[in-house]
Amino acid sequence: MAKIYNPATQTALDIEQARRRAKLNVIATREYFYGSQEEWEKRHRVVEIVSNDSVLTGNRSRRHFTSRKEDFESALSTQCRLNELGEQHGWSDKEASIAASVCGEGMAMNLHAVAFEPVVLSQGSPELLNEFGHLIRNRGILGCYLQTELGHGTNVQRIETTATYLPVSDEFEIHSPTLTSTKWWIGGLGKTATHGVVQARLILPDAKDMGPHLFLVQLRSLEDHTTMPDLKLGDIGPKTMGAIGGLDNGFARFDHYRIPRSRMLSKFAQVTKEGKYVRPPHAKISYGGMLYIRSTMVSSAGHVLAKAVTIALRYCTVRRQGNRNAGGLEEQVINYPTVHQRLLPVLSRAYVFTLLGRTILKSFNAMSSRLDQGDASLLSDMHAMTSGLKVLVSTMSVQDIETCRRSMGGHGYSAFAGVGKLYAEHLPSATYEGDNFVLDQQVVRATLKSYKEVLSRKSFDNSELSPFSSYLRLLQSGTESSSIEFRSIELWHDWKTLILVLEWRAALLVEARANSSSEIYSDQRVSKAVSDAFVASQIGEMISNLSLQRSDQLIISNLLTLYLLCTVESALVDLLSLGILNGKSSGVSKVTDATAGIRLAFSNVCRELLPEAIALSDAFGFSDWELDSALGVYDGRAYDALWAKAQTEPLNATEVADGYKQFIKPILERGQKLSAKETKAKL
Amino acid sequence: MAKIYNPATQTALDIEQARRRAKLNVIATREYFYGSQEEWEKRHRVVEIVSNDSVLTGNRSRRHFTSRKEDFESALSTQCRLNELGEQHGWSDKEASIAASVCGEGMAMNLHAVAFEPVVLSQGSPELLNEFGHLIRNRGILGCYLQTELGHGTNVQRIETTATYLPVSDEFEIHSPTLTSTKWWIGGLGKTATHGVVQARLILPDAKDMGPHLFLVQLRSLEDHTTMPDLKLGDIGPKTMGAIGGLDNGFARFDHYRIPRSRMLSKFAQVTKEGKYVRPPHAKISYGGMLYIRSTMVSSAGHVLAKAVTIALRYCTVRRQGNRNAGGLEEQVINYPTVHQRLLPVLSRAYVFTLLGRTILKSFNAMSSRLDQGDASLLSDMHAMTSGLKVLVSTMSVQDIETCRRSMGGHGYSAFAGVGKLYAEHLPSATYEGDNFVLDQQVVRATLKSYKEVLSRKSFDNSELSPFSSYLRLLQSGTESSSIEFRSIELWHDWKTLILVLEWRAALLVEARANSSSEIYSDQRVSKAVSDAFVASQIGEMISNLSLQRSDQLIISNLLTLYLLCTVESALVDLLSLGILNGKSSGVSKVTDATAGIRLAFSNVCRELLPEAIALSDAFGFSDWELDSALGVYDGRAYDALWAKAQTEPLNATEVADGYKQFIKPILERGQKLSAKETKAKL
C-alpha cells in the first residue's frame, strides 16, 4: 500500500532533507558569490529594510492584477518611497541601486542612475557640471538618455535628429526633421524626466555634418512638470507580455528647440562661440557609456539566472510525479535526469556570469581611467570583448530562464510562479544595447584583425595577446590539436582539457573563416566560438584561484567544470566538422567514442552535483520577498503558497462573476431556448 | 548626397515593390494553403463579419491597456457577441470556431467546444446524451474538462480525486481528499462553466480502485450561477506574461459531492446498479480525446507561425538600417542573410505544419471511426505519432515565434508589434497536453518496440511498417548509408537525398539507443530524430503530390526543401557522430565538405526564395484586423501605425502624469533642497 501523501508536511520535509544532505558550506559560498562578507551584509541590510516596508510590500502584492496605467503609478509610488528611505538611511549610490534592484521594477529613476548621470558626469564640461552636478546627483532634476529613434536603433551613426549651431544667438537648435527621427523607447522620457541627454547630429554653421554628439536639454518645467515649448512628448505604450509596465518608455519630437551652447556635453569635443569644431582626442572616446552598460549586463544576467534557478530547483525538489520510489512515494522530479540535466547547467551559468561580471567591470574601470587620460589603447579590445560577452550572456540567459520555467511543468505558466516575469523583463537584453546579430559582426571584424596581425609576424610572444585573443597562440606552427587523445572518459572531467578544446575550436574556426566564406562560417558561429574560448579561459582562472575550504572547493570547481562541459557539448558540430575530436584521418568509432565520452562526463558531473543543488542556490541568499514566487518558497510548501495566492485573485472577490447577467446568462438562455425547440421538434 | 528618406512614402513603396517583384500566384497558393477555394472563402466571410463588428473591435482596441479582471470581462463580452452573431448568421461549428480563432482570445466557450463537448458526445451513454446533448450543442449549459490537479499533470494515472459508488442511493460521491487533489488549471471553470466532466478514480463498493474515469457534474446553478453545494470553485489567478487573461482557468474542490450513477460517461466502461464494473473493450479506448487535441496542435502551430512570420517579413521589408545601397538608401533589413536566413525557415514551417496538420487530422478520423467499432489497432501508432509531433511542433513553433519577434529588433518588444502576445499565448503548448519531456519517453518506448519487432523477423515487407516507422526499412541487411556520395553541393538541393539522410539518422540512432545507454542517446535526441524522419517522409508526399502551376510548384517545393535543409542542418551532430556523412573511415576533409555543402545549399535556397517571401506570406490571407500589429500592416506603413498606436496609450491622456504631485514632485523638491544646501556649504 502506498504511503499517504500529505503535501503540507511532505514538501517541507523534502526540502529540509535536501538541505541536510548537502555538504556545501552555504555561508562561505554566499560570501564567495557576493565577493566578500561585507558585500553580502550590505545587500542583506537593504533587503531587510525594503521587504519590511509596508508601501513597497503593498505595491508588490498588487502587481499581478494591475493595468499598465496602474503599473506606472505603482512604480512612481515605489520610487518616491525608495527616495525617502534612501534619505532616511543615508544610502550610498550602491545601496540605492541594490534597493531598486530588489524591488525588481523597471523605473525611471534607474535610467537616471544608469544612463543619464554617468554620461553627463563623464562627458560634461566643468561649467555644465557646476550648474547641474549637484542637482543630478540628488535627483533635483530627473534625467533620461535620448539616443534610439523610431527609425534607428543599433546603427547610431545614422540617427536623424539634428543640433544646428546658430552663432548669432550662441545656441543650438535641436530638431526632428522626419517622423522616423522621433526619439523612441527612451526610458523615463514618457511621463517622468525633467531633463535628458540627446544624441543629435551636430551641424556647423557651414552646414557640415559632424555626426552624433550629446546635448543636455530640459524637457519639462520644474514648476509644474508641463512640457517645454517646441516639444512633443509622450509614452510609447505598453511593452509586450505586460513587461516593465512601471517604466515610461517615451517619445520626443523637437520642433526647432533651442538650447544655449553651454549645454553641449563638451569635455572632449567642442564648438567655439564662432562655430569652429574642436576635435576629441580619439574618435570613439564617447563610447565609454555603452561599454559600461554592456559590462554590467554580464553580472545582471547572472543575478536573474540565480533567481530563476533557485525557484525551479526548489519546486522540482518538492514536486513528486511519475514512478513510485522505494518509499512508496512518487519520485521527486529533480531526480529525473531530464530535469536536473537541464537545471544544473543553468546553476553553473548563474555562478559563472556573476563571477565573470565582476572581472569585466574591473577591466572596464581600468580602461576607463586610462581613457580619462586620453589613452584609448584598451578601447577596441574592450569593445570586442563586451560585445561578444553581451551576445553570449543575453542569448544564454534568456534561454535559461525559459528552461527553468519549463522545468516546472504546467505550474510554471502561472504568474505566481514568478519566472515568466523574469523572462519577459530580461528578454530585451537580446536586442537592446546593440542587436546581437549586429554585435556578432563587430566581434568577427575585430577577431579577423587580430588574426591577421598574428599571422603577419614570424613569431610572437604570447603575452602580447590580449585575454580576448589568447587562443590565437595555438596557431603558432608546431602546435597540433590532434596530439590530444580524447578517447578516455576521465579526460572529459578535466577542466584543462575542456578549455583547450574550446580554444582550439576558436582558433581553427577563425582560421577557416579567414580563408573561406561567411556563408559556411557565419558571424554567429565564429563570434560564439571566440567568446566561449574567452569565458573558458576565465573559468580556468576562477578554478585556479579558488580559495575556499577543500570540500567547497571541490563542489565549486565541479560546478565550473559543468559550465565547460555544456559549452563543449554545444560546440560538437564545430569540433566534429573541424576534425578536433577525430584527428586528420581517423574513423567514425573514434568520433562516436569522443561524443559518448562528453555525454557520459556531463551526466556524471550532474549526478555528483545533484545533492548540492539546493545548497548552491541557497547560497544566492534570496529572501521569499525578493523571489516573489509561490513555487520557490524557502520552506518548500509550494502548494500551500499557490493556493493562498489564488485566493487573492480579484475575480474571486464575488461568488458570481460581475459579467454574469450581461454576458453569460444570455448565452445560456439562448441555448436553452434552442434546445427546447429542438427537443419539441423531435417529439 | 543621400536621397532624402521619407518613411511615409518609402515604406509603402518598399512593400509594393516586394509584391510586384514576386512571381508567385498568391490566390492559387492561398487556396492550396487552406485546402480549397471554399475553405478560404468560408474563412474570409467570417473574418469580414467579425472585423466589422463594433463590439468585437472595441474589445480588441482596448486589450493592450487592461487589467486581468478587465481582460476577463472583455472576453465575456466577446463570447456573448460571437454567440449572437453565430445565431444571426447561422454559423456552423466550423465557422464559429473560425470566428473565435480570429478574435484570438482564450475564452471559456472554446474549451466547451474543444475539451468538453467532444468528450461527452463521444463517451456519454445514449441516456446521458438524450438528457444533455442538445443543451451542450446549443450552449444551454457551458462545460469544462476537469483533469489536471494541483499535484498531478501529465501523470493522469496518479490523480487523487475519487468517485466512490454508493449502491444504497445509486450515486457516485466525488471527493477531493487532499489539497493536491484540487482540480487546477481547468479552462472555463473559474467563473463561467455550469457543468464539467471530471476525471476521478472510480472506487467500487468493495473499495477496489479502478483508476481514472469520467463523470459529468453540475458546477453552478442554472438559475443564478451560484456555486452548487459541497463545492469550492474559483479562478487560479493570472497566467504569466499577462497571457490569456480572458480565460478563467479555475480550481475546484469536491466535498463528498453526490451525483446520480447515470452521470458517469459510460459508453465504454460502466458500473451496474449493484456496483459491478463492466470493462471497456480496450484499456486505452478513452484516450481518443487527448489524441484529438494533440492532432489539432499541429495545424494550429502552423497558423500561429503564419501570423508571426507575416508580421516579421513585412516589417523587415520596410525597415532600413545599416549600409547604404546603390540608391543611397540604407539597406532593407530583410536583405541581410542574418535576417532572411532566420525568417524563411519559419515561413517554411508555417506551411509544413499547416499542411501536415490536415493529414494528421485525417489519420485521426480514420483511427477514430475504427475505434467506434471497437477496433483499437491503430491507437498505439497514432499515440506515438501525435506525441512525437506534439513535441516537435510545439518546441519549434515557440522558438520560431521568438525568432520572428527578435528579427524585428527593438520594436519587436512593443506590445503593438503583436508578436509577443502570440508567443506568450502559444508558450504553454510545450507543457500542456503532456509535458514534452515525458512524451519523448513514450515515443522512444514505442519506437524501441517497433525496432525489436522488425529485428525479430528474418525479412519483412516494407508495407507492414506504419508511416511513423517506415525509416526502419533501412535496417534490412544490405542497405548501406555510406553508398550515398555527399560531397557535391547539388545533391543537397535534392529533397530525396535530404529525406533519406534524415531517415538514416533515425534508423541508426534507434539502433544505437537499443544497444547503448540513454545517457548517450537521450530520449529527446531519439524522439526528435524519429519525428523528423516522419515529417520528412510526409514532405516527400507533399512535394510529389503538388498540383499547382509550374512556377508556383517550383517555389513551393523549394520552400518545402528549405524545411528539410534546416532539419538536416540541425541534425549535424547526429549525422557526423553516426558517420552518415563521412562513411566508415573517411577523413576530415570529407566531413568539412559535407557540412559546407549543406550550409551553402541552405544559403542558396534562401536567396532563391527571398523575392517570394512577401507573396508567400500574403497567401496566408490575414487581414490587418486579425494580425493586430502596427509593424505588420499590409500597406507597409509601420512607422505611421506605431505612432498612431502610441497616441492611444492612456498615460498620454493627460499632459502631466496623474502621480506627479504625489510622487514625482516630492523627489524633485527633496533633491533641489539637498543641492541648495550642498552648494551653499561649498561657497
Side-chain angles (χ1 to χ4, degrees), chain A residues 512-618:
Chain A
R513 166 62 187 260
N515 299 310
S516 181
S517 93
S518 63
E519 284 177 303
I520 301 171
Y521 302 103
S522 71
D523 290 341
Q524 281 59 54
R525 212 174 152 197
V526 175
S527 165
K528 171 102 170 56
V530 169
S531 300
D532 277 343
F534 171 69
V535 175
S537 69
Q538 292 294 305
I539 288 177
E541 300 284 316
M542 289 174 202
I543 297 178
S544 307
N545 297 326
L546 271 177
S547 60
L548 290 161
Q549 284 192 314
R550 174 118 191 98
S551 64
D552 294 336
Q553 197 141 329
L554 283 175
I555 295 167
I556 299 289
S557 74
N558 224 2
L559 187 68
L560 298 174
T561 303
L562 182 63
Y563 182 105
L564 296 170
L565 265 170
C566 295
T567 311
V568 168
E569 212 278 342
S570 75
L572 270 175
V573 172
D574 291 339
L575 299 177
L576 293 171
S577 65
L578 294 166
I580 296 176
L581 296 187
N582 30 339
K584 292 272 177 234
S585 62
S586 56
V588 64
S589 77
K590 199 165 176 184
V591 171
T592 310
D593 286 356
T595 54
I598 291 166
R599 291 190 163 119
L600 286 174
F602 171 71
S603 117
N604 288 343
V605 173
C606 283
R607 223 178 0 249
E608 284 165 29
L609 284 167
L610 184 55
E612 306 298 330
I614 288 292
L616 281 163
S617 65
D618 280 350

Side-chain angles (χ1 to χ4, degrees), chain A residues 3-16:
Chain A
K3 216 161 122 185
I4 285 177
Y5 172 58
N6 184 340
T9 55
Q10 187 63 47
T11 51
L13 200 65
D14 286 338
I15 202 119
E16 203 189 304

Side-chain angles (χ1 to χ4, degrees), chain B residues 369-572:
Chain B
S369 58
R370 286 228 218 159
L371 211 56
D372 265 354
Q373 294 147 28
D375 170 4
S377 61
L378 297 176
L379 191 63
S380 68
D381 202 61
M382 190 72 196
H383 174 67
M385 181 172 85
T386 54
S387 299
L389 288 181
K390 188 269 183 187
V391 174
L392 177 79
V393 153
S394 61
T395 306
M396 294 301 295
S397 55
V398 166
Q399 194 176 306
D400 282 347
I401 299 171
E402 171 59 9
T403 296
C404 290
R405 195 197 65 74
R406 220 175 276 191
S407 76
M408 300 192 289
H411 291 329
Y413 195 60
S414 168
F416 302 139
V419 178
K421 186 180 165 69
L422 296 177
Y423 177 88
E425 307 203 329
H426 193 62
L427 185 56
S429 66
T431 43
Y432 65 42
E433 302 305 329
D435 183 89
N436 283 357
F437 285 82
V438 178
L439 292 182
D440 280 330
Q441 290 167 24
Q442 302 182 5
V443 174
V444 173
R445 200 175 306 145
T447 295
L448 291 176
K449 208 175 138 210
S450 306
Y451 170 77
K452 274 167 204 153
E453 267 173 41
V454 167
L455 265 203
S456 67
R457 296 185 225 167
K458 285 242 166 55
S459 79
F460 61 92
D461 185 355
N462 290 342
S463 67
E464 282 176 51
L465 291 168
S466 76
F468 197 62
S469 308
S470 120
Y471 64 93
L472 287 173
R473 75 182 185 281
L474 298 172
L475 296 179
Q476 285 181 94
S477 56
T479 321
E480 272 277 357
S481 71
S482 53
S483 60
I484 313 171
E485 175 54 73
F486 291 117
R487 294 192 81 139
S488 91
I489 290 168
E490 288 69 39
L491 203 69
W492 294 115
H493 285 262
D494 173 27
W495 53 272
K496 284 181 187 148
T497 307
L498 297 165
I499 295 170
L500 191 59
V501 163
L502 290 169
E503 293 192 315
W504 267 113
R505 168 205 184 208
L508 296 184
L509 210 48
V510 169
E511 189 176 53
R513 167 63 188 261
N515 299 311
S516 181
S517 93
S518 63
E519 284 177 303
I520 301 170
Y521 301 103
S522 71
D523 290 341
Q524 281 58 55
R525 211 175 152 196
V526 176
S527 165
K528 172 103 170 55
V530 169
S531 300
D532 278 343
F534 172 68
V535 175
S537 69
Q538 293 293 307
I539 288 178
E541 301 284 316
M542 288 174 202
I543 297 179
S544 307
N545 297 326
L546 271 178
S547 60
L548 289 161
Q549 284 192 316
R550 175 119 189 94
S551 64
D552 294 337
Q553 199 141 328
L554 283 175
I555 296 166
I556 299 290
S557 74
N558 225 1
L559 186 70
L560 299 175
T561 303
L562 183 63
Y563 182 106
L564 296 170
L565 265 170
C566 294
T567 311
V568 168
E569 212 279 340
S570 75
L572 271 175

Side-chain angles (χ1 to χ4, degrees), chain A residues 139-142 194 225, chain B residues 664-672:
Chain A
R139 280 69 174 149
I141 63 175
L142 286 172
T194 62
H225 219 241
Chain B
I664 300 178
K665 205 172 176 204
I667 297 176
L668 294 170
E669 283 178 350
R670 209 175 290 131
Q672 286 157 11

Side-chain angles (χ1 to χ4, degrees), chain A residues 7 64-65 67-69 72-73 76-77 80 83-84 87 134-135 138-140 150-153 155 158 180 184-185 191 223-227 234-241 243-244 319 321-322 324 330 338 342 398 402 405-406 410-411 413-416 420-421 423-424 427-428 430 437 519-520 524-525 573 577 579 584 588 591-592 596 599-600 603 607 639 643 649 651-652 654-656 658 660 663 667-668 670-672 675 678 682, chain B residues 7 64-65 67-69 72-73 76-77 80 83-84 87 134-135 138-140 150-153 155 158 180 184-185 191 223-227 234-241 243-244 251 319 321-322 324 330 338 342 398 402 405-406 410-411 413-416 420-421 423-424 427-428 430 437 519-520 524-525 573 577 579 584 588 591-592 596 599-600 603 607 639 643 649 651-652 654-656 658 660 663 667-668 670-672 675 678 682:
Chain A
H64 294 299
F65 311 118
S67 68
R68 165 78 211 289
K69 187 156 187 286
F72 175 68
E73 280 154 15
L76 282 186
S77 148
C80 184
N83 191 259
E84 278 169 12
E87 196 184 19
H134 288 292
L135 285 166
N138 293 309
R139 280 69 174 149
L150 193 45
H152 287 91
N155 189 16
R158 299 286 311 136
T180 41
W184 203 265
W185 276 111
K191 306 306 287 183
E223 293 303 310
D224 57 10
H225 219 241
T226 51
T227 304
D235 186 283
I236 63 161
K239 273 70 70 182
T240 192
M241 304 178 191
I244 322 183
R319 174 76 168 179
Q321 194 86 173
R324 289 214 172 135
E330 288 176 271
T338 51
R342 278 185 280 167
V398 165
E402 171 60 9
R405 196 196 65 73
R406 220 174 276 191
H411 291 329
Y413 194 60
S414 167
F416 301 139
K421 186 179 164 70
Y423 177 88
L427 186 56
F437 285 83
E519 284 177 303
I520 301 171
Q524 281 59 54
R525 212 174 152 197
V573 172
S577 65
K584 292 272 177 234
V588 64
V591 171
T592 310
R599 291 190 163 119
L600 286 174
S603 117
R607 223 178 0 249
Y639 297 120
W643 171 268
E649 159 64 53
L651 285 176
N652 293 332
T654 57
E655 183 186 346
V656 174
D658 282 348
Y660 164 66
F663 302 122
I667 297 177
L668 294 170
R670 208 175 291 131
Q672 286 157 12
S675 302
E678 286 173 11
K682 223 168 53 182
Chain B
H64 295 300
F65 311 119
S67 69
R68 165 79 211 290
K69 189 158 186 286
F72 175 68
E73 280 155 14
L76 283 186
S77 149
C80 184
N83 190 259
E84 277 170 13
E87 198 185 18
H134 288 291
L135 284 166
N138 293 309
R139 278 70 176 149
L150 193 46
H152 287 92
N155 189 16
R158 299 286 310 136
T180 41
W184 203 265
W185 277 112
K191 306 305 287 184
E223 293 303 309
D224 57 9
H225 218 240
T226 51
T227 304
D235 185 282
I236 64 160
K239 273 70 70 181
T240 192
M241 305 179 190
I244 323 183
F251 64 79
R319 176 75 169 179
Q321 195 85 174
R324 289 218 171 132
E330 289 177 89
T338 50
R342 278 185 279 166
V398 166
E402 171 59 9
R405 195 197 65 74
R406 220 175 276 191
H411 291 329
Y413 195 60
S414 168
F416 302 139
K421 186 180 165 69
Y423 177 88
L427 185 56
F437 285 82
E519 284 177 303
I520 301 170
Q524 281 58 55
R525 211 175 152 196
V573 171
S577 65
K584 293 271 177 232
V588 66
V591 171
T592 310
R599 291 192 163 118
L600 286 174
S603 116
R607 224 180 355 251
Y639 297 120
W643 171 266
E649 160 63 52
L651 284 176
N652 293 332
T654 58
E655 183 185 345
V656 174
D658 283 348
Y660 165 66
F663 302 122
I667 297 176
L668 294 170
R670 209 175 290 131
Q672 286 157 11
S675 302
E678 287 173 9
K682 224 167 52 179

